[in-house]
Amino acid sequence: MNQSNNESQEKELRADLGLISALSLVVGMVLGAGAFMKPPAVLAAAGDFNLALAAWAIGGLFSITGGLTLCELGVLFPRTGGIFVYLEELYGPRVSFLYGWMLSVIFGPALVGALTGYFSSVFCLLFDIPDSYRGVAGATALAFITFVNSIGVKEAGYLQTMATFCKLIPIILLTLFGIFKGNGQVALFGASGGAITTTAPFSVAVLATLFAYDGWAQVASVAGEIKNPSKILPKAIIGGVSFLIIVYISINIAMFKMFPVSEMVALGHDASSIAAQRMFGLVGGNLIAVGIMISILGGLNGYIMTLSRNIYIMGKRGQIFGASILSKIDKDSNAPVNAMLMLVVSSFIYCRLLDADKLSDIAMFSIWLFYLLAFFGVFIARKTHKHVPRTYKVPLYPVVPLIAISGAVYVIYGMLSSQFLNGIISIGLTLSGLPLYYYLNRSEKGTSLLPKLKTKYVVGLSSLFVIGLLMLSVRVFDHREEVHIGIVPAFAPFAYEDQTGKLTGFDIELMNIVAEKSGFKISYRAISLDSIFDAVSNEYVDAAVCSLSVTPERQKNVNFTNPYIEKGGLALLVKQGEAALNTKDLTGKVVGVPSGSTGETFIRNTGNAKVQIFHSNVDMIKAFNQGWVDVIVFDKLILKHFLAQKMITQPVIIQGINQEEYAIAFSNKHKVMGEKFNKVLAEMKKSGELDVLYQKWFSDSVSIN
C-alpha cells in the first residue's frame, strides 16, 4: 500500500496533541481502576507479597519493552490507527481487519463497559444512590465523556490532563501515609507476612497486572494527531509506563504494610477504601472513592478517544458495517464522533448485559495475541522497510523486542493453561470476523443516513434522551427500596469472602434473609470496625451488621434491633499454663485487641494491662503465636473459629469474661426499617429458623467456660 496515499487520508485530523497531552494520555488511560482494584487480585493469584511484587515488576517490564518495541513501528507508520496500521502494513488487510474487529466487538466494548460499571458502582456508593440507578450513572458518565470528545480532541486532551493530575492526589496520600507515616494506623509489623494457597500459575498474576498496565499501546492510535510523533511518541510511552511502574509498586507496598495476605485478598476491591479508613477515618474512604471515580473517568476518556479512531479507520477502509457513517469526521470538532457513538452504545450494552470481569480477561488475552504479532513485526519491518529513514530505533535491538515477545508468549501460555475455555472463546470470537471480512469486500458501500445537524447537539440530546429512558425504566420496573449495609468483611465466620470472592458468613446469610422478608434490596459496603458506627450515625450506610455488640455507649449514637445472638461476648485467649484466667491477672501483660472493638474498651476500663491495638485479625493471631502478645481479648465465637481453622499453633485456653448481645445497628432515619427487621427476627426466632442458622455456622466442638 502506498504510504503517501495513506497519509493523505489523515489530513482531516488535526495534530493538536503535544507531549504533556500525550504523556497524560498514557498515564490517564493506564492509571485507572486497576491501581485500586487489582492489587488484591494479583496477590490472590501470586499467593504471597514477594511474588505479587515480582508480578507487578514483570508486568511493567513486559509493558515497557512492548512500548519501546512499538515505538519504532509508531514512527515508521505515524498515521492514526496504531497497531491496526502496523499490522496492515506488515501482515496485510486480513490480519489488520481481525485486529480492528477484535477491538470493535471484544476489547473496546468490554473494557469501556467494565470501567463504566466500576464508575457507576463507586458513584452510587459514594452518593448513597440506589444500585438500581447504576445504569443511569453509567450512561451519564459515557454521555459526558462523549460530549467532551464531540467538541474536539484538544478539549478531550485538556480533560485527560486534568483527570491525570487530580487522580494522583489519593494515590499519593495512600502511598506516603501507608509507607512512611500511616497516621498511627499502619499495622504493627513492617510488612504483614503470611501466604495463601493458590493453584493458579504465576502467569495469571502477571496477566492481572497487565490489565492494570493496559493502555500504553493505545496512545499510538492517535499518532496522526500528535505533534512531531517521532520524538513525542517514544517519550510519552517510555516516560508514562516508567512512572506507572513506580506508582504501582509503591501503592502495593503501602497496602502490604497494612494488610496480611488473607485479609487483603478477602477485602478485594474494597481494600483501598478500608486502608484509607484506617489511616484517615471514614472521610478517607470517601476520598479514595473520589480518586477512583476520577481515575475511571480518565480511563474512559482515553479509551473512547483512542479506540474510536480504530473504528474510524475501519470505516475509512470500508471494513465494517455502516462504513459510510463511521468514516465521517465531524466538521465542527474534526473528531470521529460517529465511531465514538458506536463504541459507547456497544459498551453500555456490554455493561448492562454481560460479565465485565470475564470479558476483560478474554479481551486481554485477545489483544496480547496481536501485540505478539506487532512485536514480531519489528523484525519484519527491519527487512521490508530497511531503506526507510528512522528517527527512532528500538534500543538494544534485538534484546528488547525478544523480551517483549517472550512476555507475550508467557501470558498467552498462562491464559490457555489456567483459563483454557476463555482463551478458546477469545480466539473463536476473533476469527468469527473472517466471514464478515470476505462479505464486506464483496458488498457495496452504503450511504450516510444521519441528518446534517451539529454533532455535539445530536450527542447531547441523544444522551439526555437515553438517560431519561433509563430513569423511567428504573421507576417502572424496580419498586423495592434499596438499603446499604455496612460490614467488616474480614470477620469470619460472621462476614468474609470465600475463595470465589463471594460474600458469605452468618451475618451475611442472616441479613440476606431479613432483607428479603422485609421487602428490601440490599447492597454491602465494606467498612473498618473502628469506623462502622460513624458510618451508620452519619448515614453513610443505612444499617450495619458484623457481630456488633449492643452497649450503652453505642446506643447513644445508633439504634439496634432486638438481639439475634444472646450468647455472644468477650473471652480471654491464653496459653495453657498461664495464670491469666480473668481480668485481675492481666496486670503487666500485653493484651491484643482489635481496634474499635468492645474488647478494647473493656480492657482499658478494667485493668492495668498493656493494650496493643490491631487492625488485622491475622496480625493479632500471628503476634500471639510468636509470643509478641500474652493474651488476646476478642469475640469468643471468632476465637472458636480461629481454633477450628487451626490458626493458633499451640495449646490454649479460652475463658469467657463478659456476656454480650449482637444486633443490627441502624440510623435514626431508618426506624421504620428497624421495626421491619425486628418483626422478621422475631418470626425467625419463633419458628426456629434463627437457631438452625446459628447451628450451621457455629460449632460447639470447642469448649468455652
Side-chain angles (χ1 to χ4, degrees):
M1 185 177 292
N2 187 280
Q3 188 166 330
S4 62
N5 290 338
N6 288 335
E7 290 172 350
S8 67
Q9 295 177 356
E10 310 300 330
K11 292 181 179 178
E12 297 176 89
L13 297 172
R14 293 195 296 249
D16 284 332
L17 297 176
L19 176 60
I20 298 299
S21 294
L23 192 62
S24 299
L25 194 61
V26 177
V27 176
M29 290 179 64
V30 178
L31 188 60
F36 302 96
M37 299 182 179
K38 278 300 179 182
V42 175
L43 183 59
D48 67 45
F49 291 145
N50 293 329
L51 288 177
L53 287 177
W56 283 102
I58 292 172
L61 175 65
F62 290 165
S63 298
I64 202 162
T65 54
L68 288 169
T69 302
L70 287 188
C71 276
E72 179 167 330
L73 298 180
V75 298
L76 185 62
F77 311 114
R79 295 182 289 110
T80 294
I83 296 178
F84 182 93
V85 174
Y86 314 156
L87 295 175
E88 183 179 52
E89 292 284 351
L90 299 171
Y91 295 100
R94 276 180 295 187
V95 175
S96 64
F97 172 82
L98 288 179
Y99 174 74
W101 166 259
M102 183 274 299
L103 287 180
S104 300
V105 303
I106 305 176
F107 181 81
L111 285 192
V112 174
L115 289 171
T116 303
Y118 286 137
F119 175 87
S120 59
S121 176
V122 176
F123 183 86
C124 292
L125 179 69
L126 182 63
F127 294 103
D128 197 22
I129 298 173
D131 286 348
S132 54
Y133 284 87
R134 286 186 179 183
V136 178
T140 303
L142 287 173
F144 170 71
I145 297 299
T146 307
F147 181 76
V148 172
N149 277 268
S150 70
I151 297 175
V153 66
K154 185 179 292 185
E155 288 73 16
Y158 291 153
L159 174 63
Q160 196 68 45
T161 301
M162 180 184 67
T164 299
F165 283 105
C166 288
K167 75 176 67 174
L168 294 177
I169 296 175
I171 291 178
I172 291 172
L173 288 175
L174 185 62
T175 302
L176 292 182
F177 276 80
I179 294 177
F180 299 110
K181 186 176 180 181
N183 198 26
Q185 301 296 307
V186 174
L188 174 65
F189 313 110
S192 303
I196 58 173
T197 301
T198 177
T199 59
F202 182 67
S203 56
V204 175
V206 176
L207 179 64
T209 69
L210 294 179
F211 174 83
Y213 280 115
D214 191 68
W216 52 267
Q218 297 303 320
V219 71
S221 301
V222 292
E225 294 166 88
I226 294 178
K227 302 172 185 177
N228 196 2
S230 62
K231 291 184 178 180
I232 290 180
L233 189 59
K235 290 180 181 179
I237 294 179
I238 297 169
V241 177
S242 298
F243 172 76
L244 289 162
I245 293 173
I246 297 173
V247 170
Y248 283 148
I249 290 180
S250 297
I251 199 170
N252 272 268
I253 292 174
M255 295 182 70
F256 294 166
K257 288 176 70 70
M258 301 192 68
F259 299 113
V261 175
S262 57
E263 184 179 8
M264 185 167 167
V265 171
L267 288 171
H269 295 162
D270 297 315
S272 295
S273 296
I274 296 298
Q277 289 176 7
R278 290 183 179 179
M279 288 188 289
F280 307 112
L282 192 59
V283 175
N286 292 340
L287 176 65
I288 291 297
V290 171
I292 292 174
M293 285 197 302
I294 295 174
S295 298
I296 296 172
L297 281 177
L300 281 172
N301 183 60
Y303 275 115
I304 289 173
M305 185 193 302
T306 57
L307 291 172
S308 62
R309 267 65 179 178
N310 288 285
I311 298 174
Y312 160 76
I313 290 295
M314 292 191 71
K316 197 76 174 178
R317 288 159 172 75
Q319 294 178 324
I320 194 169
F321 285 122
S324 60
I325 297 175
L326 298 175
S327 62
K328 296 293 185 181
I329 294 290
D330 178 55
K331 63 181 180 179
D332 292 327
S333 63
N334 275 44
V337 177
N338 294 344
M340 272 190 271
L341 290 175
M342 174 189 168
L343 174 62
V344 167
V345 171
S346 58
S347 299
F348 184 76
I349 294 173
Y350 275 49
C351 173
R352 301 303 298 165
L353 299 179
L354 302 174
D355 185 330
D357 288 335
K358 182 177 292 186
L359 286 170
S360 296
D361 288 340
I362 294 174
M364 290 307 302
F365 174 76
S366 297
I367 201 165
W368 272 85
L369 285 171
F370 288 97
Y371 284 168
L372 177 62
L373 292 177
F375 298 155
F376 274 118
V378 172
F379 294 93
I380 297 174
R382 288 287 179 106
K383 294 182 178 181
T384 60
H385 295 70
K386 60 183 178 181
H387 298 301
V388 178
R390 289 169 171 80
T391 56
Y392 168 85
K393 290 186 177 181
V394 183
L396 300 177
Y397 180 89
V399 175
V400 169
L402 288 176
I403 294 175
I405 290 171
S406 300
V409 171
Y410 180 64
V411 169
I412 292 168
Y413 170 77
M415 178 74 171
L416 291 175
S417 298
S418 62
Q419 303 180 52
F420 181 76
L421 180 60
N422 284 348
I424 293 300
I425 291 174
S426 176
I427 294 173
L429 287 175
T430 301
L431 293 178
S432 68
L434 280 177
L436 178 62
Y437 170 78
Y438 289 115
Y439 170 78
L440 290 174
N441 277 277
R442 289 170 171 78
S443 61
E444 296 181 358
K445 295 182 179 180
T447 57
S448 175
L449 301 177
L450 288 180
K452 294 183 178 179
L453 300 174
K454 284 188 177 294
T455 308
K456 57 186 177 184
Y457 298 132
V458 174
V459 172
L461 292 174
S462 300
S463 300
L464 291 175
F465 178 72
V466 172
I467 293 170
L469 286 179
L470 288 170
M471 294 186 70
L472 179 63
S473 69
V474 168
R475 295 187 176 277
V476 171
F477 297 111
D478 194 343
H479 298 284
R480 290 191 302 162
E481 180 182 355
E482 183 175 25
V483 293
H484 302 297
I485 308 297
I487 60 167
V488 184
F491 260 50
F494 286 98
Y496 63 100
E497 287 188 350
D498 61 18
Q499 293 181 346
T500 66
K502 180 181 178 182
L503 273 175
T504 188
F506 174 83
D507 281 341
I508 299 299
E509 189 168 345
L510 172 68
M511 198 67 245
N512 290 340
I513 295 172
V514 170
E516 182 178 355
K517 291 186 176 182
S518 302
F520 294 106
K521 181 172 63 176
I522 61 175
S523 62
Y524 292 104
R525 296 180 175 178
I527 302 172
S528 61
L529 180 60
D530 45 6
S531 298
I532 199 163
F533 291 105
D534 287 339
V536 175
S537 61
N538 293 325
E539 297 182 357
Y540 176 67
V541 294
D542 304 314
V545 61
C546 199
S547 65
L548 301 179
S549 305
V550 181
T551 68
E553 187 66 27
R554 291 173 174 177
Q555 287 177 314
K556 295 178 182 178
N557 300 313
V558 300
N559 299 293
F560 286 94
T561 62
N562 295 329
Y564 57 82
I565 290 183
E566 299 177 355
K567 46 187 175 182
L570 296 175
L572 290 173
L573 176 71
V574 298
K575 300 180 182 68
Q576 284 188 3
E578 291 283 344
L581 294 179
N582 57 62
T583 55
K584 296 179 181 179
D585 301 324
L586 297 180
T587 301
K589 301 286 186 181
V590 179
V591 180
V593 293
S595 176
S597 66
T598 53
E600 178 184 356
T601 304
F602 185 83
I603 292 300
R604 291 190 186 280
N605 293 336
T606 57
N608 296 316
K610 298 176 182 178
V611 180
Q612 176 61 59
I613 305 299
F614 289 89
H615 295 279
S616 162
N617 294 346
V618 176
D619 269 349
M620 185 168 63
I621 294 301
K622 176 183 176 182
F624 179 81
N625 287 335
Q626 297 189 6
W628 296 335
V629 298
D630 303 309
V631 182
I632 289 178
V633 174
F634 198 19
D635 180 280
K636 63 184 180 181
L637 294 174
I638 296 179
L639 291 177
K640 287 175 61 178
H641 176 76
F642 291 160
L643 289 180
Q645 296 298 314
K646 299 181 180 179
M647 297 172 64
I648 299 172
T649 59
Q650 51 196 305
V652 296
I653 297 174
I654 297 178
Q655 176 69 44
I657 57 174
N658 190 53
Q659 188 78 17
E660 293 179 342
E661 297 177 335
Y662 301 154
I664 303 170
F666 59 93
S667 64
N668 290 324
K669 178 182 176 181
H670 292 89
K671 289 186 176 180
V672 173
M673 177 190 70
E675 292 175 359
K676 292 182 179 180
F677 286 176
N678 274 329
K679 182 178 179 181
V680 173
L681 288 171
E683 292 173 352
M684 292 179 66
K685 186 175 182 179
K686 183 177 180 181
S687 66
E689 185 178 3
L690 189 59
D691 186 59
V692 171
L693 185 63
Y694 180 89
Q695 295 299 325
K696 172 184 175 180
W697 285 97
F698 301 109
S699 170
D700 292 325
S701 59
V702 180
S703 176
I704 299 182
N705 297 325

